Amino acid sequence: MINLTINSNPVAVPEGWTVLQAAEKLNVRIPTLCNHPDLCVAGNCRVCVVEQKDARTLIASCSQPATEGMEIMTNTLKVRNARKHIVELLLSEHRADCTKCYRNQNCELQALANEFAFGDHLFLDLVGEHEHLIDRTSASIIKDDSKCIRCQRCVRTCTELQKVSAIAVSGKGHEQKISTFHDRPISHVVCTNCGQCVNRCPTGALTEKTYIDHVWDAIYDPSKKVIVQTAPAVRVALGEDLGYDPGERVTGKLVSALRQLGFDYVLDTDFSADLTIMEEGTELLTRLKKALVDGDKETSLPMFTSCSPGWIKFIEHKYPELLPNLSTCKSPQQMFGALAKTYFADNVKVDPENIVSVSIMPCTAKKFEANRPEMRDSGYKDVDFVLTTRELAIMIKQAGIDFRRLDTSNYDSVMGESTGAAVIFGATGGVMEAALRTAYEIVTGKEVPFENINIMPVRGMEGVKEATIKIEGCLKEWSFLEGAELNVAIAHGLTNADKVMSAVARGEANYHFIEIMACPGGCIGGGGQPIPTSTAIRQNRIDAIYAEDMSMAIRKSHENPEVVAVYKNFLGEPNSHKAHELLHTHYVERMRY
Amino acid sequence: METRKITKVDLIFEHIDPREVLVKAYKLGSEGIIQEMLDSGVKGRGGAGFPTGMKWKFCAAEPEPEKYIVCNADEGEPGTFKDREILDRVSYKVFGGMAIAARAVGARRGYVYLRGEYKFLMPQLLMELDGFHKMIDEIGYDFRIEFKLGSGAYICGEESALFESIEGKRGEPRNKPPYPTKCGLFGKPTVVNNVETLVNAVIIIKYGSEKYRSMGTQFSTGAKVFSVSGDTPTPGIYELELGMTCLEFVKEFGDGDAKAVQVGGAAGFCVPRKAFAKTIIGFEGVPTGGSMKLFNSSRSMYNVLHNYLDFFAEESCGQCTPCRIGTQQLLRGVEAVKRGEMKSAYLNELVKLAETMKISSKCGLGQSVGNAFNSIVENFREEIIY
């Protein structure tokens, strides 16, 4: 242990801890800005400087390791003056139109300014010195350099967590900025639209493109029927933007709020998540049969899940040679969209032309996905507008809804029925678990051999998880699988996805089925979720997801009565011709640079 | 205080038999070399003045088997042009210093990080390096040197930014600790020395630490190559013993009308006429990497300051707040005062800002902007305002 004092109070910390961590242990708060719990230390904003006895300069507490006998002072005049200067400097290059900013009242620079830099500006305004272009080219993300304070959290996120490096630092001195490859628009570089940078930007420099006003217009258009679907991960995170602690489940209130906002039908993406399991599970079993029994060399294994649009764009850019391994299933959002303007329209007898289909997603990449040219199989744009969890919270506030006092209510039907299997799509490993619950039962007629059908090996926050499921007691038509060991892998965060993909590409991976989610923790850690984020917050949301699963009466996708009905009345059977037309898609090879 | 008269020496550029020195160093071995370096009292010639023997000792003590010797030849300080001359005339001594350092710390690979603008030296240097490699092979050294060209950024002369650049990354300083002797190039223990420092190692081994110590002062041993420029009838490169005063320097090199000397380039200090007599050039006074720029009374110190600030605002890597924005604020601030848009009292705020930059910037660049700024503003305030 290392012994040091902070503001004369002794503290002992393990070797390798920073001064900042030591201060946290003593509950001494040191302000930070470029520091983020998910990212490596940068030490570039200098807001966290503190004084060390007998040192020539102040030290950055986030990057300075604690050493034996150190005497640290966090609140001397020298420190205060330096901090004030640093915050004033940041403000002088930041376009502070706070009242109109998307991040107003949830901005880390604003919070620091309130503490250290109120009153008149100390320095000259430098914002006008630079030409700032706002990049609105992406369907998902807006980048406004005039609000950027160069903390490089986004750069570290894109590089470390996602291994995408769509954004990087360019230029030096007064020309230094966060830029893209050759300064191209975001829509024209290798960006997966995952939005993890948005989640970690301390200011309003990176935000999602909002469609709130489009949705309000639709709601108030009397000629339109507006239907809304909500993704599984929204119900365990929305509360955070409305004053609840992380991990609070607000499903019933969410439904009531959407109704009060004026949506004509409040439906659940869970329904199409269950449908995805039927389609994807069948596709997997078919591929296994082709490969193992028919000896078809053309069949690509392992098969990859295709629910996460950030992941889809990643593989399209980086591993196009592996696209045949990607399940052809659309994501639940897009399956829902395709059925909304066909099956659902028939059901409620509304001309699909007059349906506006909205989705509430934990995701920024879903905005891009809904705008893909492939996603018009209903004959219309399958999903018209995608809102993030954060945008929904804004709408709820705009409508003056007292969320806490709302009664709970249930989703409409059809396409509003959910199962536990669908809910866990929101957590890493969830799609795998849901698929195994169904596929195992299709093949053997028995439940998966885990207590309470909770498949614990595929759960948890480890970056890459592996599991092997032995298939025993097969039904007759599946006897070729008797005794087979199904090897599965699960990765979340694109850096982990890349690890698995490079192993697959090298032929070193012995998997049959791989689940990939672009975001850390899965959808609950999505780029559209409430800010801030950290491992602890994501864990709380995951705990809530599994609690929701346990609370459901039905916990297996194939038992969802609405799913049974849609096959009986509309689609026929899984992977039928009609199902292929509406629920499956194809992918495109994209440039690597 | 101990001072010296101007004493010109000729050790750096003197031609010697490198084989003889390298054989001697080889026989001395790690401990012997490091002891000589420690005894000599030599400090880094790049400007920061860290005791070279200590640096080698720390690196030698690291158990990691893979280590590097890096020669910092990214000579970019405004007004410094001595390393170019050294590399041009006695590159074998630079390579020799690297081999001695390698022997001392147990490194097998070395890099010369050469300023991009010195590319024209490359063909000659590579040829000389071939001969050098053959010679040290014969003596028994297991050491190879490679060249890496810079791309024009001043910041890459900062040692950790230099490592990043060699590694193929954007040249940005790293957080310290860890220091290079523990975790440097490619994450391995690394000795990084200025061109001139490495030549000094050859001199120390050849003549012995005792003779070396007889030059200079107690805290500034040895001699140093100075790049003399500005308002002087005799600009050029001079090797002088350390410890002279600024007054003696100006008497020797000035044009009779010197009102200030900028010692140590843009990152150094401005010494005004009234302080010439009491200012020692050396580590006990004003340290320098070698740049000595004289200004006579025809020069506007506002223009001098503006030129330096313009340089820093462009050459800051932009990574840390105090340096990236502070340099711009100082530049725009003095412009605003000059134009009368800000009151002259605003200069006091800027001096405080420069102090903040000194104590809170991440690396030596931001930390030294305040040297030039404050020494010019304090001594030539009226020239800045009016």
Side-chain angles (χ1 to χ4, degrees), chain A residues 437-480:
Chain A
R437 284 182 191 173
T438 290
Y440 194 90
E441 210 163 311
I442 289 175
V443 172
T444 67
K446 295 189 294 272
E447 282 193 338
V448 281
F450 291 90
E451 195 183 345
N452 291 327
I453 62 170
N454 291 336
I455 308 178
M456 300 312 280
V458 302
R459 297 186 183 181
M461 291 295 245
E462 215 177 307
V464 178
K465 291 165 280 188
E466 293 176 324
T468 300
I469 314 287
K470 191 161 187 183
I471 304 173
E472 284 170 315
C474 290
L475 298 173
K476 214 171 99 204
E477 63 266 46
W478 299 103
S479 56
F480 67 92

Side-chain angles (χ1 to χ4, degrees), chain A residues 203-488:
Chain A
T203 70
L206 286 159
T207 56
E208 70 264 45
K209 186 177 262 184
T210 101
Y211 295 88
I212 293 175
D213 288 337
H214 298 77
V215 172
W216 280 126
D217 286 349
I219 286 175
Y220 285 100
D221 184 341
S223 67
K224 301 289 183 195
K225 287 282 176 207
V226 187
I227 67 171
V228 61
Q229 54 167 320
T230 65
V234 175
R235 63 205 68 189
V236 297
L238 175 68
E240 289 167 41
D241 269 350
L242 297 166
Y244 290 81
D245 286 335
E248 195 88 37
R249 290 146 59 196
V250 295
T251 318
K253 285 177 190 286
L254 162 67
V255 176
S256 301
L258 288 167
R259 238 175 235 130
Q260 286 203 9
L261 290 178
F263 288 101
D264 296 296
Y265 295 94
V266 181
L267 304 172
D268 202 348
T269 316
D270 283 16
F271 159 78
S272 49
D274 282 332
L275 200 58
T276 302
I277 292 300
M278 300 307 293
E279 292 295 321
E280 202 163 276
T282 307
E283 184 185 355
L284 175 65
L285 291 172
T286 308
R287 286 198 194 204
L288 286 173
K289 181 165 182 296
K290 274 190 186 162
L292 301 176
V293 180
D294 309 341
D296 180 2
K297 296 269 186 291
E298 299 289 296
T299 304
S300 298
L301 283 174
M303 187 175 93
F304 313 146
T305 62
S306 55
C307 306
S308 168
W311 150 239
I312 298 297
K313 193 141 182 281
F314 181 83
I315 187 175
E316 285 178 333
H317 281 297
K318 289 198 143 184
Y319 292 93
E321 70 275 21
L322 294 177
L323 283 174
N325 294 57
L326 203 52
S327 162
T328 57
C329 289
K330 288 181 183 171
S331 73
Q333 165 178 280
Q334 294 306 136
M335 285 197 183
F336 189 101
L339 288 177
K341 295 189 179 178
T342 52
Y343 175 64
F344 182 81
D346 287 351
N347 240 281
V348 294
K349 310 219 167 7
V350 178
D351 182 351
E353 172 113 27
N354 292 326
I355 290 183
V356 175
S357 169
V358 176
S359 71
I360 313 291
M361 292 286 142
C363 186
T364 48
K366 290 279 177 198
K367 291 174 188 272
F368 171 83
E369 184 187 37
N371 284 308
R372 285 178 73 119
E374 300 91 0
M375 297 301 172
R376 306 179 67 93
D377 288 329
S378 64
Y380 305 89
K381 192 179 173 196
D382 292 342
V383 175
D384 292 290
F385 303 113
V386 179
L387 301 179
T388 61
T389 311
R390 296 188 291 265
E391 289 172 275
L392 175 60
I394 290 171
M395 287 184 77
I396 290 171
K397 289 175 190 166
Q398 286 176 336
I401 294 170
D402 186 349
F403 195 77
R404 273 185 190 274
R405 293 203 182 173
L406 282 178
D407 290 329
T408 61
S409 53
N410 293 323
Y411 286 96
D412 291 312
S413 187
V414 293
M415 296 173 48
E417 190 71 60
S418 167
T419 70
V423 167
I424 58 175
F425 264 60
T428 167
V431 176
M432 181 60 69
E433 181 164 351
L436 290 174
R437 284 182 191 173
T438 290
Y440 194 90
E441 210 163 311
I442 289 175
V443 172
T444 67
K446 295 189 294 272
E447 282 193 338
V448 281
F450 291 90
E451 195 183 345
N452 291 327
I453 62 170
N454 291 336
I455 308 178
M456 300 312 280
V458 302
R459 297 186 183 181
M461 291 295 245
E462 215 177 307
V464 178
K465 291 165 280 188
E466 293 176 324
T468 300
I469 314 287
K470 191 161 187 183
I471 304 173
E472 284 170 315
C474 290
L475 298 173
K476 214 171 99 204
E477 63 266 46
W478 299 103
S479 56
F480 67 92
L481 285 171
E482 184 62 39
E485 290 189 332
L486 189 66
N487 297 324
V488 302

Side-chain angles (χ1 to χ4, degrees), chain A residues 61 119 124 186 189 199 222 232 262 392 443 466 481 534 547:
Chain A
S61 55
L124 303 173
I186 294 191
V189 297
N199 276 4
L392 175 60
V443 172
E466 293 176 324
L481 285 171
S534 69

